[in-house]
Amino acid sequence: MGFLYIYGKKQLREIDRRVRYLEKRLDQCTVVDRLPLDRSIVFFGAWVTLEDEEGNQERFRIVGPDEIDHNDDYISMDSPVAKSLLKRREGDEVLLRRAGGEKTYFIELIEYVEPV
C-alpha cells in the first residue's frame, strides 16, 4: 500500500510541475489569428516550399516551438532553418546549414492557411 501512495505522490508532483510550466508558456504565447498583409514574404505560420539545385523539393511550416508535435513538416520559428527563411520572398536563394552541411535552396512557394 505504501508503494502506491509514494508513486501517486510522485505522479502528482510531475503533473504539478507540468501545469506550472504550461502556465508560464501561456503567458508568453501570442495568438496569430490573421494572415499577414503581404503573403509574398515568409512569416510565422507560412508553408514554405524549397527547391535545391537538383530540383528536389521540401516543404515546411514555420510554427511556434510548442506546436511542433513531432510533425516532420513543422519547424520551430526558433530553428536556424526558420530564421534563415523568415522575411524572404519567393525566388530568393537561401544557404541553409543542416546536418549534411551547407546547401543552397530557392524559395519556390510561400503559402498561408486561413485561420479558423
Side-chain angles (χ1 to χ4, degrees):
M1 182 79 158
F3 172 74
L4 291 177
Y5 175 76
I6 292 170
Y7 181 71
K9 283 188 74 161
K10 182 179 178 184
Q11 278 187 309
L12 184 58
R13 281 194 306 272
E14 269 304 302
I15 291 169
D16 287 341
R17 183 189 64 76
R18 183 72 176 151
V19 167
R20 282 192 305 277
Y21 169 78
L22 291 172
E23 284 175 342
K24 288 179 186 176
R25 290 296 300 154
L26 279 174
D27 290 339
Q28 298 171 357
C29 289
T30 303
V31 175
V32 178
D33 59 354
R34 61 185 169 80
L35 297 177
L37 296 175
D38 188 350
R39 296 181 198 171
S40 67
I41 299 175
V42 178
F43 292 112
F44 176 84
W47 280 98
V48 182
T49 303
L50 301 176
E51 187 172 303
D52 65 15
E53 294 169 334
E54 290 85 41
N56 301 314
Q57 291 190 345
E58 296 182 58
R59 186 171 184 248
F60 301 105
R61 184 170 190 205
I62 299 174
V63 298
D66 297 320
E67 296 179 276
I68 293 176
D69 290 333
H70 306 291
N71 187 327
D72 292 338
D73 296 335
Y74 286 8
I75 58 173
S76 170
M77 62 189 271
D78 299 326
S79 72
V81 172
K83 287 180 180 180
S84 297
L85 295 173
L86 289 170
K87 298 187 181 175
R88 300 292 186 107
R89 297 179 177 274
E90 285 182 11
D92 281 358
E93 182 178 307
V94 290
L95 179 66
L96 301 181
R97 290 172 184 83
R98 299 176 78 178
E102 292 182 348
K103 194 170 187 180
T104 301
Y105 291 88
F106 299 92
I107 298 178
E108 192 67 25
L109 182 64
I110 301 169
E111 301 171 285
Y112 289 91
V113 177
E114 291 284 340
V116 286

